[in-house]
Amino acid sequence: MGGNQSWSTEVILVGFQLSEEMELFLFFIFSLLYISNLLANGTILGLIWLDPRLHTPMYFFLAHLAVIDISYASSNLPKLLENLVKHKKTISLASCAMQMLLYLTFASTECLILVVMSYDRYVAICHPLHYTVIMNWRVCTVLAITSWLCGFSVALSNLLLYLRLPFCGPLEVNNFLCEILAVLKVSCGDTRLNKMVVFAGGTFVLVGPLSLMLVSYMRIIWAILKIPSGEGRRKAFSTCSSHLCVVGFYFGIAMMVYLVPDDGHQDEQKKILSLFYTIFSPLLNPLIYSLRNAQVKAAFSRALQKQGKL
C-alpha cells in the first residue's frame, strides 16, 4: 500500500451513533435475523439437495442464490455483531480489505445469477419443447461458473486499485462495514480511477443484467398471455412474479447506492440502504421463493412427513 500505513492499522467504522443499550438491543435483533437467514437459506439448500423433484436448472440456480445469501451475510454481520456487543467500532485494515473483496464478490455474483435465472424462465416459458436441450446440465454449470468468475473479477479489480491508495490520518469510514465508496472517501490520494472502476463494475453487473432481464420478461409476459389455459397462466405468472420481486428489491437498492451520483449529502441514506441490503435481502430471498413456490412448499411437506415417520 502507498503512504505510511501498515496492515496493523485499524479502521474505525463510524456506523450509527447509538447508546450502549440500543447497541445491545440491535445486537439481539440482528442476531435473530442472521440466524433466521442461515436457517431459511439452509432449509432451501437442504430441500434442493434431498428432493429429486427439485433437481432441475431452476432450483440449481436457486441453490447458488442461497449459498450467496448465506456467504454475503456471513462476510459482514459477524463483525457488526461483535462491534455492537463489545461497543467498539474498529476493524483491522487486512480484515477490511477481505470484507470488501467478499461482499463485492457475493453481491456481483448474485446479480449475474439472477439474470441467469431470468434466462432459465425465458427458455422454460417461451421454448418449453426445447428446454431440456437448451438448459442441459453442462450449460447450467458453465453459466454458474461464469457468474462466479465474473463476480470475483469485478471485486478483485476494485480491491487491487484500493490497495494502491495512500491513507493519511485516522481512517474513519462512515459506514458499518468496509463499503468500497465509503472507504475511498478516507483516502488522501486520487480516487478518480477507483470511482470509475466502481461505476463501470456497477454498470456491468447492474445495468447490463437488468436490461437483459427486462427484455426476457417482456417476451415471457407476451408468451404467458398466449397460454390458453387459465391454470397454466397462473402457474407461469406465480413463478415469474417471485423472481421479479427479488430482482426489483435487489437491483433497486444496489443502483441507488452505486449508480446514483454522490453529492456528499447521502451518506446516512446509503448507510441505511446498505444495512437493509445486508440484513434483510438475504432473508427475503428464501421467504419469497418458498412462500410463493408450490414445489418448494410441497418438498418441505414431504420432508416433514418423512421426518414424522422416523
Side-chain angles (χ1 to χ4, degrees):
M1 288 187 66
N4 57 4
Q5 300 297 320
S6 67
W7 281 103
S8 62
T9 302
E10 286 191 324
V11 177
I12 301 171
L13 299 174
V14 176
F16 301 96
Q17 302 301 319
L18 303 170
S19 64
E20 290 189 359
E21 293 78 12
M22 180 57 70
E23 286 185 338
L24 288 175
F25 174 73
L26 289 179
F27 169 80
F28 176 73
I29 298 298
F30 292 168
S31 296
L32 286 179
L33 291 173
Y34 180 49
I35 293 171
S36 299
N37 164 31
L38 297 181
L39 290 176
N41 282 291
T43 300
I44 292 290
L45 282 174
L47 291 175
I48 294 173
W49 177 267
L50 295 173
D51 197 319
R53 302 183 192 185
L54 300 183
H55 293 176
T56 64
M58 175 181 173
Y59 295 102
F60 171 74
F61 295 122
L62 183 57
H64 280 270
L65 197 63
V67 170
I68 291 170
D69 286 336
I70 291 174
S71 303
Y72 180 81
S74 298
S75 68
N76 299 322
L77 275 178
K79 186 60 182 178
L80 173 61
L81 294 174
E82 179 188 346
N83 287 353
L84 286 174
V85 75
K86 293 182 177 180
H87 309 298
K88 67 185 186 72
K89 299 182 178 182
T90 57
I91 183 173
S92 70
L93 203 56
S95 297
C96 184
M98 181 56 67
Q99 187 182 78
M100 188 187 303
L101 175 68
L102 292 176
Y103 99 79
L104 283 175
T105 296
F106 298 132
S108 300
T109 303
E110 179 155 358
C111 292
L112 299 173
I113 288 293
L114 287 172
V115 75
V116 169
M117 291 177 72
S118 72
Y119 175 69
D120 171 71
R121 292 300 84 204
Y122 163 74
V123 176
I125 293 173
C126 298
H127 303 282
L129 299 180
H130 302 94
Y131 178 72
T132 55
V133 176
I134 298 174
M135 297 301 295
N136 60 68
W137 285 113
R138 181 175 178 276
V139 170
C140 292
T141 303
V142 169
L143 289 173
I145 292 175
T146 302
S147 298
W148 280 96
L149 288 177
C150 288
F152 178 73
S153 299
V154 169
L156 185 61
S157 61
N158 279 284
L159 179 66
L160 292 176
L161 287 174
Y162 155 75
L163 293 177
R164 58 179 281 276
L165 291 173
F167 291 89
C168 315
L171 304 181
E172 296 186 356
V173 176
N174 190 18
N175 211 310
F176 65 92
L177 77 161
C178 290
E179 194 273 324
I180 180 68
L181 293 177
V183 173
L184 290 179
K185 290 183 177 181
V186 303
S187 172
C188 54
D190 187 355
T191 60
R192 285 177 296 179
L193 177 60
N194 299 73
K195 291 178 180 177
M196 287 175 59
V197 171
V198 171
F199 184 81
T203 302
F204 173 70
V205 300
L206 292 173
V207 179
L210 185 59
S211 300
L212 292 173
M213 281 187 278
L214 289 176
V215 172
S216 296
Y217 274 100
M218 285 191 333
R219 300 194 66 176
I220 286 173
I221 291 172
W222 181 251
I224 290 176
L225 294 175
K226 292 182 179 180
I227 298 176
S229 166
E231 178 65 20
R233 285 197 301 270
R234 187 199 62 78
K235 184 178 179 181
F237 268 122
S238 176
T239 302
C240 294
S241 62
S242 299
H243 188 251
L244 283 174
C245 287
V246 174
V247 168
F249 177 82
Y250 193 89
F251 279 77
I253 293 179
M255 292 179 78
M256 283 189 284
V257 173
Y258 290 102
L259 297 182
V260 174
D262 186 3
D263 59 4
H265 304 289
Q266 299 174 336
D267 289 347
E268 294 304 313
Q269 295 92 320
K270 287 187 176 182
K271 273 196 290 186
I272 294 173
L273 288 174
S274 296
L275 182 65
F276 201 79
Y277 198 76
T278 300
I279 294 176
F280 293 102
S281 180
L283 182 58
L284 285 178
N285 287 346
L287 292 179
I288 290 173
Y289 280 108
S290 60
L291 292 177
R292 296 182 59 84
N293 191 299
Q295 287 180 290
V296 172
K297 288 188 286 187
F300 187 69
S301 298
R302 288 192 293 270
L304 290 178
Q305 289 173 1
K306 288 181 181 179
Q307 187 67 28
K309 294 177 182 179
L310 295 178

